[in-house]
Amino acid sequence: MPSLAKLFSPRSSLGNLEKHGPDIPTSESKTENNKSPTQPQSVAREEQEQLIRTALGRFAHVPVSAIFVLEPKWNSLGLSDEQASLILKTHGPNTPVAERPLAVLRMLWGAIVNPFNILLTILAIVSAATQQIPTFIVMMAMVFASTGLRYWQELKSMVQAVNLIKSVTTNTRVLRYRNSGSEEVEIDQRNVVPGDIIAVTSGDVFPGDCILITAEAITITQASLTGEMMPIEKTVRLAAPRPGETFDLLHNDNVCLAGTSVVTGNGHALVVLTGKDTYMASIASELSRQRPDNATQIGIKRVSYVLMAFMGVMAPIVFIVQGAVSKDWKGAVMFAIAVAVGITPEMLPMIVTSNLALSAVRVARKKVIVKRFDAIQNLGAVRILCSDKTGTLTADLVRISMSTTDAGDLSQLPIKLAYINSSLQTGSRSPIDHAIVDFVDQSEQDVFTDIPRDGWVKQGEVPFDSSRRLLSVLVSRSDDDGSEGLFITKGAVEEVLDLCVSVYNHQLSPSSNAPAPLGLDISASMTSILTADRRQKILGAAQRLNEEGLRLVAVACREQLIKPPMTISCSDENELIFIGFIGLLDPLKPDAAQAIKDLATLNVQVRILTGDAPAVAAKVARDLGLIPSCQHSSSAENEKDVEASPSSKGEEGLILTGTQLAALGDDKEAYNDAIDRCIIFAKLSPYQKLEVVKALRAGDGGRAVAFLGDGVNDALAIRGADVGISVDSGTDIAKEAADVILLEKSLAVVADGVIEGRITLINTLKYIKMATSSNFGNVFSVLVASAWLPYQPMLPLQLLVQNLLYDFSQASIPWDNVDPEYLVAPKTWGAKSIIRFMVCLGPFSSPFDIITFSINWFHYGIRTLDNPRVPLAQTNWFLEGQIPFIQSRASISVVCTTFGIAGIAIAIPYMPKVNTALKLTPPEPMFYAYLVGMIFGYATIVHIVKTLYQLAFKEWL
């Protein structure tokens, strides 16, 4: 590696460059691609990105020899320890953006400020103001219990997530100017500062936004930022920019952004931006904005408003009727408050919280961290799952898919030759080299037994470089005299084709008399001249394979005599014979296809949102069954045209690119139609992913949308979804933004989470619908009693105890079974559904209450306020209100709890002191006969109403 001191002489001429750096035009494509009719982009964010482009462009668009003239305080030999310390104090530590203090108080506030908690607190205050202290105590106990459980569970998950992020400490190698020379030292990446020169090699992660100043065959992966699977070549700039040259932040040849990593090669880079000033931080800064309400929060608010409206209407009516009949207006106030309390399901916060806690525990057993409590219910409501491609649906690995002839027909010869080339080259192995060697070494096919690695001797090598995009080796058989050799070249398709003069004919059988050095007959009888027409056919075959989502490597060879001692160079890469292609792809995760099928059975649509090319995304979608397989056009088109026109693949209407999406920005109707129609969204920026998620959420009257991703470019969409999902191997930003983190790379957990979410929501809705319909029926009964009976049908304290007993009987609902037919469709908090259920089912309990009033009136003769048997009448209605009712396949815990509470209610009138405090009296035995009849009658009516309800509204819970 050349000396850094020689590369950066302080006397280097800047030519026509000014001291402050050249004026750098920046690409406006990013701004255009972010156009959306749903919401204008943040001016602050655009300004921040412009500052980043300006800062990096200042150094990226000058020759490497002139970089340090722009910043005289920076040294090509590295910063001194004193300089680094001073800059660190000025700029602050290079802290990962996701590593923030644990927001304990904010989490507690979020647990407290819950619509149901607020509603109960208001009622509790009213109860305290009217001297109903027991009611106040009970309600506040429910608020504290639900808040405490929610806070504890969320805090535990958040600590787990933070520990996951902090579990990895990254060190960086930097140059320090010491003793008049440069010394390489290793420091914590938090201490890296602007002006530092870092040394990088394969596997290293860039700690900040950097400019390459030396590079030896460096390739980096930007999958976390762009979603592109294949490594990108990076080089240093040796000349001033051409007139009109623009600066592309993500695809500039010498810019390496924070979070990207080196795949092959080594070199040095100048750190320009760190910490909150990096491009990654500009994306993460959007995460600090307040999140929009998700599906569960919106539904809970609507249900709360319904309950408050119902309470606000019915309580005054009860007060007026009761006061007018009894003339006891003070007693009417107390009774109206008791009715308001009775209307409100006091156990609702506790039921919701315990449901969520139980589900969180269940999914935790499957190695899932639930950071936000309501994420489980949101999963149950999800109708659309948007997923990034790289690392989530695919394994984020380069693997061999096929080995083909020049026409695209299967052949093992290209992979055999590529194996010899890759296994014997001594440079830094790229992911492609690893994929080729692993494919052959791990293959169980007999066809590879004739190419044992130790059967070959390398006689020479021309290493890969980014300008040639080729790698060549000269090999001979170890058991030969070494005079006959084979020159094997692999690389980019067009570059290899440019060096070829003929094509190998795979369909011909090798002549038995023809010389076949190295077991390969490449005599004239087995080859054809590479004409212009044949070249176009080869490019057409490459185009078809590209459209199937494959990345191609071309393979060629020729015979060459070996005359030791000899060396080979680029000039030997000529007059080659084109052999064929090797197709590579990022394979699907093993459980991806089955997980997609499972989600489809749950009526969850899957959309792919990726920064990768449309062809690659379409290949993944076809393999997953998201879009139908199709016949591709054989016409040769350049890659740029194909990426811009996915319709050329025969999948028009299902694939949309970021450029096409931006073009629809001024037509809201066309934009929304495209969002609803398309399955694949390719070449998207991080902000476009967010806008697509927003548009999907807003469509069809409002839909719950989940997003699954692991990269920096996914973080905004993860946070903008109703439920954001990441994986433990994802970037810190993605994990911070996520509501759910998968600790194992199993997509099956997502489908399990959807089921758990639906079970949680259905069990919660069971309580709400049963409680509100029962309370609605009770209000009707109270109105009838107030207008008919001269005495209160039940004392306020009795009404409260009855209501609490009923609520406690529902405490086991989180453990209840859910019939499979209720799990096949997304569920959400539907205020209309709750109102409909309440209005349709609630009144059918009133006839049985009226029957009880009639029994008291006609059978027992309790018709006046001063009748000593009034407590008996109140006891009879108290017991009738505790009728247990079990339908379908209830869990054992629900059955035991329901009948257990019913038993307690029956026992209360017989308990000394308790019955006195509640003013209840033991009922006559004959009343139990009436009670049994009412139970069977109620069960029959509910079954009939349920059948009619399901026929009319196609739902139950």
Side-chain angles (χ1 to χ4, degrees):
M1 182 180 294
S3 167
L4 289 174
K6 292 180 180 179
L7 284 175
F8 304 107
S9 169
R11 292 183 295 275
S12 298
S13 173
L14 285 175
N16 61 352
L17 298 177
E18 299 178 14
K19 186 68 176 289
H20 65 273
D23 293 328
I24 306 298
T26 57
S27 172
E28 296 302 321
S29 60
K30 184 174 184 65
T31 303
E32 292 175 1
N33 282 356
N34 288 333
K35 287 169 63 179
S36 164
T38 59
Q39 182 180 348
Q41 292 297 315
S42 166
V43 175
R45 189 258 302 166
E46 290 180 356
E47 290 178 350
Q48 186 178 8
E49 286 196 11
Q50 182 59 42
L51 289 173
I52 294 170
R53 286 196 292 268
T54 301
L56 289 173
R58 180 184 175 217
F59 296 96
H61 267 210
V62 299
V64 65
S65 59
I67 286 179
F68 289 95
V69 179
L70 300 178
E71 283 289 346
K73 293 182 180 180
W74 293 354
N75 193 329
S76 61
L77 299 179
L79 298 173
S80 67
D81 291 317
E82 293 77 12
Q83 283 179 302
S85 177
L86 184 61
I87 296 174
L88 184 63
K89 290 180 181 178
T90 303
H91 286 265
N94 184 31
T95 306
V97 290
E99 199 169 297
R100 299 174 181 171
L102 197 60
V104 176
L105 293 179
R106 186 176 63 186
M107 212 180 311
L108 177 60
W109 178 251
I112 294 172
V113 183
N114 176 288
F116 295 142
N117 284 349
I118 294 172
L119 178 59
L120 280 185
T121 302
I122 292 172
L123 285 176
I125 293 172
V126 172
S127 299
T130 54
Q131 307 302 314
Q132 298 294 311
I133 303 304
T135 305
F136 170 81
I137 293 173
V138 169
M139 287 188 168
M140 292 310 299
M142 294 297 102
V143 171
F144 281 114
S146 63
T147 299
L149 181 58
R150 183 189 186 100
Y151 176 67
W152 174 79
Q153 187 68 33
E154 285 192 347
L155 181 64
K156 184 176 68 172
S157 297
M158 189 63 71
V159 169
Q160 196 174 359
V162 170
N163 289 339
L164 183 66
I165 292 173
K166 290 184 175 180
S167 61
V168 178
T169 300
T170 305
N171 290 330
T172 302
R173 291 177 296 131
V174 302
L175 300 186
R176 283 285 177 261
Y177 185 72
R178 296 173 178 172
N179 302 321
S180 301
S182 181
E183 181 180 336
E184 186 176 293
V185 297
E186 194 170 273
I187 64 172
D188 190 319
Q189 77 165 16
R190 294 175 179 82
N191 297 326
V192 173
V193 297
D196 263 330
I197 295 176
I198 61 171
V200 292
T201 188
S202 179
D204 288 341
V205 177
F206 288 94
D209 292 344
C210 305
I211 306 295
L212 276 181
I213 55 177
T214 71
E216 292 186 3
I218 276 191
T219 61
I220 72 167
T221 175
Q222 293 189 152
S224 65
L225 291 177
T226 65
E228 294 173 317
M229 173 190 70
M230 299 300 290
I232 298 172
E233 299 162 8
K234 293 290 182 178
T235 59
V236 299
R237 175 176 283 278
L238 300 176
R242 300 183 301 275
E245 183 177 343
T246 60
F247 175 69
D248 189 332
L249 186 63
L250 291 174
H251 298 98
N252 208 69
D253 287 342
N254 60 342
V255 172
C256 302
L257 298 175
T260 62
S261 59
V262 180
V263 177
T264 62
N266 56 74
H268 290 87
L270 171 68
V271 179
V272 178
L273 300 172
T274 59
K276 66 180 184 304
D277 299 323
T278 62
Y279 175 71
M280 182 188 295
S282 73
I283 296 176
S285 65
E286 294 287 315
L287 303 181
S288 62
R289 300 177 183 273
Q290 185 174 357
R291 294 182 69 162
D293 288 343
N294 56 48
T296 296
Q297 291 169 330
I298 293 172
I300 287 177
K301 283 184 178 179
R302 289 174 179 171
V303 171
S304 300
Y305 295 151
V306 168
L307 292 177
M308 286 190 286
F310 182 51
M311 180 179 64
V313 171
M314 298 307 297
I317 294 175
V318 170
F319 165 71
I320 293 171
V321 174
Q322 178 69 21
V325 172
S326 66
K327 308 302 181 181
D328 180 8
W329 293 99
K330 183 178 179 181
V333 169
M334 306 302 294
F335 191 69
I337 292 175
V339 168
V341 172
I343 291 172
T344 307
E346 296 91 345
M347 286 287 289
L348 185 53
M350 196 63 197
I351 291 291
V352 171
T353 304
S354 57
N355 258 310
L356 292 174
L358 183 61
S359 294
V361 170
R362 285 173 180 161
V363 297
R365 293 173 186 156
K366 299 177 182 179
K367 297 189 176 180
V368 175
I369 298 176
V370 180
K371 289 174 55 183
R372 198 163 71 159
F373 226 36
D374 53 16
I376 296 294
Q377 280 195 1
N378 282 331
L379 273 175
V382 163
R383 291 167 57 186
I384 298 176
L385 171 65
C386 297
S387 177
D388 179 42
K389 176 187 66 67
T390 308
T392 49
L393 296 175
T394 63
D396 195 16
L397 297 170
V398 180
R399 290 290 181 263
I400 302 299
S401 174
M402 62 174 60
S403 175
T404 74
T405 67
D406 59 291
D409 300 321
L410 294 180
S411 169
Q412 299 292 353
L413 184 55
I415 188 65
K416 290 181 180 181
L417 294 174
Y419 174 79
I420 298 170
N421 178 292
S422 295
S423 62
L424 294 182
Q425 66 99 3
T426 54
S428 179
R429 275 192 186 176
S430 69
I432 293 175
D433 291 317
H434 283 292
I436 292 170
V437 173
D438 291 345
F439 177 79
V440 175
D441 287 346
Q442 298 170 10
S443 176
E444 298 178 356
Q445 301 180 48
D446 295 336
V447 293
F448 295 123
T449 57
D450 60 337
I451 52 168
R453 182 173 176 177
D454 56 2
W456 305 93
V457 177
K458 185 179 74 171
Q459 303 292 344
E461 177 180 354
V462 185
F464 176 88
D465 68 60
S466 57
S467 59
R468 289 168 38 251
R469 299 173 69 192
L470 303 169
L471 190 154
S472 300
V473 295
L474 176 62
V475 298
S476 63
R477 284 281 195 182
S478 58
D479 53 0
D480 282 353
D481 59 8
S483 61
E484 292 183 337
L486 190 66
F487 191 91
I488 306 173
T489 298
K490 75 175 192 301
V493 174
E494 291 193 4
E495 280 74 359
V496 171
L497 266 177
D498 289 342
L499 304 175
C500 294
V501 296
S502 57
V503 182
Y504 186 76
N505 293 324
H506 293 261
Q507 295 178 345
L508 298 178
S509 300
S511 170
S512 59
N513 298 323
L518 309 180
L520 175 65
D521 183 2
I522 50 176
S523 61
S525 62
M526 292 296 295
T527 63
S528 302
I529 300 297
L530 178 61
T531 62
D533 182 61
R534 187 69 179 270
R535 177 186 173 90
Q536 284 303 113
K537 289 182 179 179
I538 293 175
L539 288 175
Q543 181 62 37
R544 290 194 302 274
L545 293 173
N546 277 330
E547 290 176 1
E548 293 177 5
L550 297 175
R551 310 283 182 156
L552 297 182
V553 172
V555 181
C557 69
R558 66 174 171 83
E559 297 177 8
Q560 180 166 325
L561 291 177
I562 299 174
K563 298 178 181 179
M566 68 175 294
T567 59
I568 60 173
S569 64
C570 301
S571 60
D572 293 291
E573 295 174 330
N574 58 56
E575 299 185 354
L576 300 176
I577 302 167
F578 191 85
I579 302 298
F581 306 107
I582 297 169
L584 303 105
L585 53 71
D586 184 5
L588 295 178
K589 287 187 174 179
D591 62 342
Q594 185 58 49
I596 297 300
K597 290 180 181 178
D598 293 342
L599 289 169
T601 61
L602 295 170
N603 289 292
V604 176
Q605 302 174 30
V606 177
R607 311 284 177 92
I608 296 178
L609 277 61
T610 179
D612 211 342
V616 178
K619 166 67 174 173
V620 171
R622 285 193 294 274
D623 290 346
L624 291 173
L626 295 177
I627 60 176
S629 299
C630 58
Q631 298 297 323
H632 301 294
S633 169
S634 60
S635 62
E637 304 175 55
N638 63 55
E639 183 179 344
K640 187 174 180 180
D641 291 338
V642 172
E643 289 191 359
S645 275
S647 60
S648 65
K649 304 178 181 68
E651 292 151 350
E652 185 174 5
L654 298 178
I655 305 177
L656 198 67
T657 65
T659 302
Q660 293 168 331
L661 192 65
L664 297 173
D666 296 326
D667 188 341
K668 185 174 182 179
E669 185 176 348
Y671 183 93
N672 292 333
D673 178 68
I675 294 292
D676 284 336
R677 183 184 67 250
C678 292
I679 302 297
I680 300 170
F681 299 85
K683 285 290 183 183
L684 297 183
S685 72
Y687 298 97
Q688 285 181 315
K689 287 187 177 184
L690 174 61
E691 294 303 327
V692 170
V693 168
K694 287 181 179 178
L696 287 172
R697 289 186 64 189
D700 196 20
R703 294 174 291 205
V705 176
F707 190 94
L708 172 62
D710 64 346
V712 175
N713 59 332
D714 300 320
L716 295 181
I718 289 173
R719 186 172 179 82
D722 288 286
V723 53
I725 310 170
S726 189
V727 295
D728 66 333
S729 58
T731 60
D732 289 350
I733 294 178
K735 286 184 286 193
E736 184 198 21
D739 304 309
V740 175
I741 300 177
L742 310 181
L743 297 181
E744 287 188 349
K745 296 181 180 180
S746 173
L747 293 177
V749 177
V750 178
D752 293 340
V754 170
I755 294 175
E756 281 293 340
R758 291 180 185 177
I759 290 174
T760 300
L761 186 54
I762 288 171
N763 280 338
T764 304
L765 290 177
K766 282 180 188 176
Y767 171 76
I768 294 176
K769 288 188 173 182
M770 287 188 294
T772 53
S773 62
S774 174
N775 294 347
F776 185 67
N778 286 344
V779 169
F780 270 106
S781 301
V782 167
L783 288 174
V784 172
S786 299
W788 175 17
L789 303 178
Y791 54 86
Q792 291 183 352
M794 203 182 302
L795 297 176
L797 184 58
Q798 294 169 349
L799 191 62
L800 175 63
V801 171
Q802 185 196 57
N803 197 42
L804 286 177
L805 286 173
Y806 177 83
D807 286 339
F808 283 125
S809 72
Q810 309 303 309
S812 60
I813 279 182
W815 289 268
D816 195 14
N817 299 328
V818 175
D819 295 342
E821 58 266 27
Y822 295 123
L823 299 176
V824 296
K827 300 292 181 183
T828 188
W829 289 78
K832 290 182 180 179
S833 176
I834 292 173
I835 294 172
R836 185 166 55 231
F837 190 96
M838 179 175 68
V839 171
C840 292
L841 270 291
F844 287 96
S845 65
S846 293
F848 296 94
D849 293 332
I850 295 172
I851 290 173
T852 303
F853 300 155
S854 299
I855 292 172
N856 292 332
W857 185 276
F858 295 105
H859 182 78
Y860 296 113
I862 308 172
R863 302 180 182 181
T864 60
L865 178 61
D866 56 357
N867 191 312
R869 305 192 73 185
V870 167
L872 177 63
Q874 294 169 338
T875 301
N876 289 342
W877 195 34
F878 178 86
L879 294 178
E880 183 264 330
Q882 295 295 329
I883 291 179
F885 179 60
I886 299 293
Q887 192 173 19
S888 189
R889 296 175 292 275
S891 66
I892 295 177
S893 59
V894 170
V895 173
C896 293
T897 304
T898 301
F899 283 96
I901 294 296
I904 292 173
I906 292 173
I908 284 177
Y910 299 94
M911 295 179 180
K913 295 186 179 180
V914 175
N915 56 9
T916 303
L918 295 177
K919 298 183 180 180
L920 296 174
T921 185
E924 294 186 0
M926 183 62 186
F927 179 74
Y928 290 109
Y930 291 128
L931 192 60
V932 171
M934 284 187 282
I935 290 174
F936 282 106
Y938 184 64
T940 302
I941 288 179
V942 168
H943 182 75
I944 294 171
V945 172
K946 176 183 177 180
T947 303
L948 296 175
Y949 186 91
Q950 289 176 317
L951 288 174
F953 302 111
K954 311 301 180 187
E955 68 167 18
W956 179 240
L957 294 175

